[in-house]
Amino acid sequence: MGWTRKVLRVNLTTGTCVAEPLNMEWAQDYLGCRGLATKYFTTEVDPKVDPLSPANKMLMVTGPLTGTMASTGGRYSVVTKGPLTGAIACSNSGGYFGAEMKFAGWDMIIFEGKSPKPVYLYVENDRAELLDAAGLWGKSCWDTEETIKASHQDPQIRVCSIGLAGENQVLFACIINDLHRAAGRSGVGAVMGSKNLKAVAIRGTKGFGGIRDFPAFLEVTNQKKKILADNAVTGQGLPKYGTQVLMNVINEMGALPTRNHRDVQFDQASKIGGEAMHEKRPTDGKAQLVTNAACFACTIACGRISKIDQTHFTVTNNPKYWGATGGLEYEAAWALGAANGVGDLEALHYANMLCNEQGMDPITFGTTVGAAMELYELGLLTKEQIGEEAPFGSTKAMAHFAEITARGEGFGKELALGSKRLCAKYGRPDLSMSVKGQEFPAYDGRAIQGMGLAYATSNRGACHLRGYTVASEVLGIPVKTDPHVTEGKAELVKAFQDATGVFDSAGICIFTSFAWGLADVQPQIAAACEGDWSMEKLALMGERIWNMEKQFNLAAGLGKKDDDLPPRLKTEACKTGPAKGLVSGLDKMLPEYYQIRGWNEDGVPKRETLERLGL
Amino acid sequence: MMKSLYLDPQKCTGCLQCEMACAYEHTGAFNPAQSRIKIFNFEHEGRMVPYTCTQCAEAWCLLACPVEAITMDAATGAKVVHDGTCVGCKVCTIACPFGTVNYVAETGKVQKCDLCGGDPECVKACPTGAITYVDADWTGLDRMRAWAGRANSAVL
């Protein structure tokens, strides 16, 4: 129980859809979602595969708590080899799509090969078929969802799709479901585009009754929901301000990377944070934020639903963008704003809408724009080359870049490759603020030392969701640690990374971890799933998943040189704020981290480590 | 005291916990497709609205049923479908002006809200208080209180 026990295997080359039983032995060792799909993926796919070739596979997967009343139990993940990084990619999304997959009776969908022409997968419970997507190709994610619902005459279908960014294989294209939820990072949308797969449309009316002990499950999930409701972050901060609650907090502690990490504080941070989204605009007397919203089964409801100022220059002649839609989260507001020095909240919302509409990761997009602006300021990119003036803080350039990047026009084609390739092309590879080719998110690795190590060692490239030590170093969850010191951070990062593997494999949202520890997740899994789900087993499983991902990366050709930070973070100290004078102490932390992980000094798992983990 | 469901769209976040609770109570599975309460998401307005049967006093579904498969639960006022009697003719689904009685192909019967015998599961599952179960004669009480609180001593 906990699983539907069914996997749908879709061969896009031959056009076949075949049901097969879920490997229940693997389910016991890897649970679901991230862990289970990565086990399938790494077993079936050559690590050296070209991510955008037909030989790469793409797995969409739910967890045992997906489609249940466990709070936030609606997540699905997309696992593949990422074109941005050349590493394992696993992007997690909320919304309603994941639960619908479960309700149709599927734990996982495996996509293989490449369709000779654009298609979309339509699933109605047990029935699955590939349908012609000629009429959808060229459409945005928003129009694709609307068109599919209309053509099937079923408004209750749930859809995930790629927009123009995925079709054009923008290396940071994402997969958008339910209009504004995203499997966002590492370019999973480009992989989908490379397979000529435009969308997956699912209608599930079977529901999910596979809970091992329903009364126990309802009792424990109710208890755990209460913990979320009573917690200051998940019960108050996130519902009111969303993740944007962090903008001013992180800025004040001097950890808000600004202008391509030249600075760590942004003088306009208060104009682009969660509080600003509540403020009434002088133009129309309305706040940008309309309401908060939840993903499936989520009792936190951190999602933002916003409306743009209709008089803003980006949309004055474009009513299409005037309606309510997914609003700015912290990462997007930071990447589109502080990372470029842009402090115009309406412009950030506009660019964020384009990212949702056409399926682009706003983190990598925004930070790539930041890198381009630095190249421009250094004279390495000129107005003639990129079509306009683009110094830091140029709102017009940022908004314009969002338009041309998704469409693959002009300079947008260069931005579409991410900052690593852009900076290398113009002779300054050091200016790409990335690890393994994936750009940093919104926390400075100098001012929050643990995050520096978490970025350097993240298996999918720089990421805040693989080991969110911000919880401890900033918010004091579960215990407060000093963000400025390196001592103890190797252990802290490992603990967060391993625990996150369990959260991500259960089918719940990592934001629950502001209030829940592993001990809160464990009884929910145990009530849902057959088998032994002790704390010890889960902790070991988290570590197993991390090592499995690491092994794939090593076999793909990544190594110690890729567990590194850009020179800026190691040599240019924070100029202002409480962390003034600090650089990242990665060189101190990394050897300790390898040792604690049971890896050799080159970052390769030792034989005894692999044996202990059953790998 | 007769009670009534009271739905407040302003508090709804669209999490669908109510739909799962309803479906579990009636079918034993988490299945929004079998829920008697539905959340409608008006995406472009940023509004999420819960909607279900209002248990009309003069219930057209009950009156329309040719086999008397719909009766009133005297304790709760709920108009309840009896599966053993229902022949799946769907006349009640036509009679209901609000669309809250629906046919289920899988069972060959219709389904609608039955107030869970007086202890609605959707109410207990709602994390924001968007669905409450209140005195049927005083569904306006909270709003009256809110307006009363805004009145000054001189004029209303």
Side-chain angles (χ1 to χ4, degrees):
Chain A
M1 295 290 182
W3 304 269
T4 67
R5 297 168 174 258
K6 272 173 62 191
V7 174
L8 178 61
R9 190 175 289 272
V10 179
N11 188 314
L12 292 158
T13 308
T14 58
T16 54
C17 303
V18 180
E20 61 183 45
L22 183 71
N23 184 324
M24 289 309 293
E25 265 180 50
W26 288 355
Q28 286 292 323
D29 286 340
Y30 297 93
L31 194 54
C33 226
R34 174 177 159 195
L36 187 59
T38 306
K39 176 63 180 171
Y40 267 83
F41 182 79
T42 56
T43 305
E44 295 187 9
V45 178
D46 176 1
K48 301 274 190 202
V49 72
D50 171 357
L52 297 177
S53 72
N56 194 10
K57 297 188 185 184
M58 183 183 79
L59 284 62
M60 291 183 176
V61 60
T62 63
L65 299 184
T66 307
T68 75
M69 286 179 77
S71 186
T72 77
R75 312 292 298 187
Y76 77 103
S77 282
V78 180
V79 173
T80 188
K81 183 174 176 182
L84 187 68
T85 57
I88 190 81
C90 173
S91 296
N92 184 292
S93 181
Y96 303 98
F97 179 82
E100 198 74 13
M101 192 192 303
K102 197 87 171 269
F103 296 148
W106 304 100
D107 290 317
M108 180 157 45
I109 305 175
I110 300 174
F111 293 97
E112 307 174 334
K114 176 184 178 178
S115 171
K117 60 184 175 82
V119 290
Y120 70 103
L121 177 70
Y122 175 66
V123 178
E124 188 182 348
N125 295 330
D126 296 323
R127 193 163 64 88
E129 56 185 330
L130 289 167
L131 300 175
D132 184 21
L136 298 172
W137 206 256
K139 283 190 191 292
S140 70
C141 298
W142 296 352
D143 290 342
T144 296
E145 179 167 333
E146 189 179 315
T147 306
I148 287 176
K149 286 177 175 177
S151 66
H152 288 272
Q153 294 184 305
D154 186 352
Q156 300 194 76
I157 289 174
R158 305 291 189 186
V159 178
C160 76
S161 67
I162 53 168
L164 293 181
E167 290 183 14
N168 294 331
Q169 295 176 32
V170 171
L171 292 183
F172 44 89
C174 50
I175 298 170
I176 296 283
N177 58 280
D178 304 293
L179 303 179
H180 46 74
R181 307 314 307 183
R185 301 219 71 192
S186 312
V188 296
V191 174
M192 190 157 157
S194 77
K195 299 189 171 307
N196 270 332
L197 179 65
K198 177 65 178 174
V200 181
I202 302 186
R203 180 77 200 282
T205 61
K206 292 161 67 155
F208 183 62
I211 296 293
R212 184 181 65 78
D213 183 342
F214 261 114
F217 183 77
L218 293 172
E219 189 183 336
V220 72
T221 51
N222 271 335
Q223 284 168 8
K224 301 310 176 188
K225 284 173 189 166
K226 188 161 188 319
I227 293 175
L228 295 176
D230 292 344
N231 180 281
V233 178
T234 51
Q236 294 160 38
L238 286 176
K240 180 155 188 196
Y241 296 112
T243 51
Q244 276 272 61
V245 70
L246 288 162
M247 184 68 74
N248 289 320
V249 176
I250 300 299
N251 189 51
E252 274 166 34
M253 68 176 294
L256 191 72
T258 301
R259 289 176 282 269
N260 206 33
H261 285 64
R262 276 184 172 180
D263 300 299
V264 290
Q265 289 183 309
F266 183 40
D267 55 2
Q268 298 177 75
S270 65
K271 288 168 62 183
I272 62 169
E275 293 81 356
M277 289 172 70
H278 277 272
E279 278 167 25
K280 287 181 180 165
R281 296 179 286 232
T283 44
D284 60 1
K286 291 175 185 160
Q288 188 180 84
L289 184 75
V290 176
T291 185
N292 67 328
C295 293
F296 184 89
C298 174
T299 56
I300 303 172
C302 76
R304 305 289 90 184
I305 302 293
S306 296
K307 269 189 192 175
I308 201 162
D309 177 352
Q310 294 175 14
T311 65
H312 193 263
F313 78 89
T314 50
V315 296
T316 35
N317 297 315
N318 212 340
K320 178 168 77 156
Y321 298 107
W322 290 359
T325 188
L328 289 163
E329 320 278 342
Y330 171 58
E331 290 295 338
W334 163 79
L336 300 167
N340 318 314
V342 173
D344 179 337
L345 188 68
E346 301 303 322
L348 306 190
H349 179 44
Y350 172 68
N352 192 49
M353 281 195 282
L354 291 186
C355 285
N356 288 336
E357 184 190 23
Q358 300 299 356
M360 285 195 296
D361 168 18
I363 303 179
T364 285
F365 167 71
T367 46
T368 300
V369 171
M373 287 180 172
E374 180 153 17
L375 291 170
Y376 178 88
E377 295 214 338
L378 294 171
L380 297 168
L381 274 173
T382 62
K383 185 183 172 187
E384 289 66 42
Q385 282 169 298
I386 63 180
E388 62 186 298
E389 292 174 359
F392 282 125
S394 171
T395 305
K396 194 164 154 282
M398 191 278 295
H400 180 59
F401 288 159
E403 294 161 3
I404 61 175
T405 302
R407 292 202 299 260
E409 294 171 4
F411 184 60
K413 282 185 195 155
E414 300 191 38
L415 291 168
L417 301 176
S419 69
K420 181 183 167 186
R421 291 161 180 86
L422 181 78
C423 293
K425 179 175 178 181
Y426 292 98
R428 290 296 300 272
D430 58 304
L431 292 182
S432 168
M433 294 299 117
S434 62
V435 175
K436 299 178 180 69
Q438 178 158 288
E439 288 73 8
F440 291 126
Y443 308 90
D444 196 285
R446 293 164 292 195
I448 308 175
Q449 291 285 331
M451 285 312 285
L453 178 63
Y455 294 154
T457 58
S458 163
N459 287 325
R460 69 165 187 174
C463 173
H464 57 298
L465 297 170
R466 283 296 175 276
Y468 190 72
T469 61
V470 173
S472 168
E473 295 178 278
V474 179
L475 304 168
I477 303 166
V479 285
K480 184 77 174 77
T481 51
D482 182 348
H484 297 162
V485 305
T486 56
E487 288 77 30
K489 294 299 162 62
E491 204 173 339
L492 188 72
V493 166
K494 177 185 180 293
F496 271 87
Q497 287 173 338
D498 292 350
T500 300
V502 180
F503 279 73
D504 286 348
S505 300
I508 56 173
C509 177
I510 191 63
F511 290 175
T512 56
S513 67
F514 285 115
W516 290 351
L518 204 50
D520 295 298
V521 181
Q522 182 270 332
Q524 302 187 72
I525 295 171
C529 304
E530 70 213 23
D532 159 40
W533 297 101
S534 65
M535 285 291 284
E536 295 72 26
K537 180 180 169 174
L538 288 174
L540 197 68
M541 191 189 81
E543 191 177 358
R544 182 183 304 124
I545 291 166
W546 192 263
N547 279 269
M548 169 174 62
E549 293 170 341
K550 178 72 178 179
Q551 280 184 294
F552 179 86
N553 285 352
L554 289 168
L558 279 73
K560 185 178 182 180
K561 66 178 189 330
D562 301 294
D563 290 349
D564 203 0
L565 298 172
R568 174 164 283 170
L569 267 75
K570 297 193 292 184
T571 58
E572 294 178 30
C574 298
K575 293 177 195 153
T576 62
K580 187 177 175 182
L582 281 183
V583 295
S584 169
L586 180 68
D587 295 344
K588 274 182 249 153
M589 297 183 283
L590 192 64
E592 190 189 349
Y593 171 85
Y594 282 173
Q595 193 188 4
I596 290 173
R597 278 253 170 243
W599 300 351
N600 71 18
E601 59 194 24
D602 290 324
V604 178
K606 293 177 185 170
R607 176 190 288 251
E608 62 258 34
T609 303
L610 296 177
E611 281 173 3
R612 180 171 59 81
L613 296 170
L615 286 168
Chain B
M1 175 178 71
M2 197 69 89
K3 291 171 104 176
S4 170
L5 284 178
Y6 183 70
L7 311 175
D8 183 351
Q10 292 220 323
K11 291 181 180 168
C12 179
T13 63
C15 73
L16 309 194
Q17 285 278 352
C18 55
E19 294 193 11
M20 276 189 289
C22 177
Y24 174 68
E25 170 70 13
H26 294 97
T27 71
F30 298 136
N31 188 6
Q34 295 264 304
S35 174
R36 281 101 165 127
I37 186 166
K38 295 298 287 180
I39 306 300
F40 293 89
N41 195 337
F42 298 91
E43 288 282 352
H44 302 298
E45 301 165 37
R47 290 197 310 135
M48 284 144 284
V49 185
Y51 205 79
T52 190
C53 173
T54 60
Q55 313 296 350
C56 306
E58 185 181 316
W60 293 3
C61 61
L62 182 151
L63 297 172
C65 180
V67 294
E68 296 183 4
I70 302 178
T71 60
M72 188 175 85
D73 180 333
T76 64
K79 311 305 176 292
V80 180
V81 179
H82 299 277
D83 280 357
T85 314
C86 175
V87 294
C89 74
K90 314 179 195 69
V91 171
C92 56
T93 69
I94 300 164
C96 174
F98 306 107
T100 57
V101 194
N102 285 283
Y103 178 67
V104 184
E106 198 181 309
T107 60
K109 314 286 178 187
V110 297
Q111 69 178 20
K112 68 177 288 300
C113 172
D114 59 5
L115 296 175
C116 297
D119 188 17
E121 294 297 326
C122 54
V123 172
K124 290 184 277 184
C126 179
T128 62
I131 311 168
T132 49
Y133 196 48
V134 300
D135 186 340
D137 291 344
W138 283 101
T139 54
L141 194 66
D142 282 348
R143 271 174 296 166
M144 282 176 77
R145 183 186 291 114
W147 282 102
R150 289 165 62 167
N152 64 31
S153 55
V155 247
L156 274 175

